Amino acid sequence: MTKQHIIALDLDGTLLKDDKTISAKSKEVLLKAKQEGHIVMIATGRPFRSSAMYYQELGLTTPIVNFNGAFVHHPLDEGWGTYHTPMDLKIVKDIVEVSEEFRVKNICAEVIDEVYFHYHDESLLDVFSMGTPNIETGDLRRILKSDPTSILIHPDEEVAQKIRKYLSDVHAEVIDHRKWGAPWHVIELVKSGLNKAVGIQRVAKHYNIPAERIIAFGDEDNDFEMIEYAGHGIAMGNAIDQLKNIANQVTLSNEEDGIALYLEEVLKLNKAL
């Protein structure tokens, strides 16, 4: 085989097809990569509760990066360590105050598997109910008692950029913010300095794998650092243009088995198991 590589997979828009399933082809090739001794892992903005089913479906036995690097752990090995880096509660309350002034649709705070909504919201409840978290609704300045892992702000499209400018102007030293892909205009906040690359570096150090033997696949702006860090930073065919511009290569889309085709070629995997 070729030397052992880490294969880091974003979920939405990357490993997952648009219907949120993993194609049979992707599953087959990732299983083959594992059999050849490569390390397959997930690096996602999702919490663990809504990525665990894919972890199990692929039969993974590796650490996982959740919340864009704010939570990194090994689901099958408590001894590996749990790395949770939340935001400061006082700053979060200030951001809630300002978000109200922008008349946002909702604000959601997550503390690992606890979910707090500022306003009742059936559409977002559907999104966040996966994995049966504890859910509470009320003024976040009152009900939020712990430093949150992440904050999600759901504004109208026309004010999303104004909120991001405020966050950059006022809180750039303490928080990082990203925007979800279409059709959502959700702004996601984590503590400053966190990203998927930070989590993958921790995993790579554990396995003693250098950056040049890391293959990372992504499609959105929360994949920038991961794609830049990996020796093989691969943008999906459906990725945003900014990511394609910094990627080492662009593969086919998430609907066209882009991950599988790239891995077969670069890792010289036999097509058949």
Side-chain angles (χ1 to χ4, degrees):
M1 69 167 251
T2 55
K3 284 187 176 180
Q4 187 181 49
H5 285 66
I6 286 178
I7 301 166
L9 306 165
D10 170 51
L11 289 178
D12 299 281
T14 301
L15 175 65
L16 303 184
K17 298 192 301 176
D18 293 344
D19 65 1
K20 303 303 180 188
T21 64
I22 304 173
S23 75
K25 173 77 171 176
S26 292
K27 226 179 299 191
E28 175 191 349
V29 171
L30 288 167
L31 177 58
K32 180 61 178 174
K34 285 166 57 188
Q35 290 177 343
E36 293 281 332
H38 300 294
I39 300 157
V40 178
M41 65 173 290
I42 290 170
T44 178
R46 290 183 179 220
F48 180 65
R49 66 178 184 275
S50 63
S51 45
M53 68 288 289
Y54 303 114
Y55 184 94
Q56 292 159 3
E57 184 177 351
L58 293 174
L60 299 185
T61 57
T62 47
I64 184 170
V65 176
N66 293 111
F67 290 109
N68 292 319
F71 182 54
V72 185
H73 79 298
H74 196 313
L76 305 178
D77 181 6
E78 288 186 8
W80 188 82
T82 297
Y83 302 93
H84 180 218
T85 315
M87 304 166 61
D88 183 271
L89 182 56
K90 182 180 182 303
I91 291 163
V92 167
K93 290 183 177 181
D94 290 343
I95 291 170
V96 169
E97 192 96 32
V98 172
S99 296
E100 275 196 335
E101 294 172 16
F102 280 105
R103 300 181 184 277
V104 300
K105 295 177 183 177
N106 214 336
I107 313 160
C108 171
E110 294 185 79
V111 184
I112 305 294
D113 283 327
E114 296 176 357
V115 179
Y116 301 87
F117 287 106
H118 198 56
Y119 307 116
H120 181 76
D121 188 330
E122 290 294 336
S123 63
L124 282 182
L125 277 172
D126 286 344
V127 174
F128 285 89
S129 61
M130 191 180 296
T132 60
N134 298 316
I135 297 178
E136 191 174 339
T137 300
D139 190 323
L140 294 184
R141 291 162 294 193
R142 178 178 54 81
I143 67 172
L144 200 54
K145 306 298 184 186
S146 304
D147 293 346
T149 313
S150 77
I151 294 290
L152 301 173
I153 302 172
H154 189 198
D156 286 319
E157 183 179 359
E158 58 269 20
V159 300
Q161 201 51 45
K162 292 178 182 176
I163 294 174
R164 293 192 75 181
K165 184 179 187 305
Y166 159 77
L167 294 171
S168 294
D169 290 347
V170 179
H171 296 295
E173 292 182 5
V174 288
I175 62 113
D176 286 339
H177 55 92
R178 315 282 185 168
K179 186 171 74 66
W180 281 14
W184 300 96
H185 301 288
V186 170
I187 303 165
E188 182 170 353
L189 285 62
V190 294
K191 187 171 181 176
S192 178
L194 295 178
N195 53 66
K196 293 180 183 181
V198 171
I200 294 170
Q201 282 173 329
R202 196 178 291 280
V203 178
K205 183 178 180 182
H206 172 75
Y207 289 107
N208 197 27
I209 300 290
E212 58 265 26
R213 282 196 272 126
I214 297 174
I215 305 172
F217 296 93
D219 72 309
E220 275 289 343
D221 72 353
N222 64 340
D223 298 313
F224 283 149
E225 294 87 355
M226 172 175 80
I227 295 301
E228 286 186 317
Y229 163 63
H232 301 254
I234 312 304
M236 305 302 291
N238 52 289
I240 59 174
D241 288 340
Q242 300 96 306
L243 194 71
K244 290 179 178 177
N245 290 339
I246 65 167
N248 298 113
Q249 196 168 325
V250 178
T251 188
L252 294 181
S253 76
N254 63 321
E255 289 287 320
E256 301 169 297
D257 293 317
I259 288 174
L261 295 172
Y262 183 86
L263 292 176
E264 279 184 334
E265 179 183 347
V266 170
L267 297 181
K268 299 176 173 57
L269 300 173
N270 297 324
K271 301 283 173 93
L273 290 178

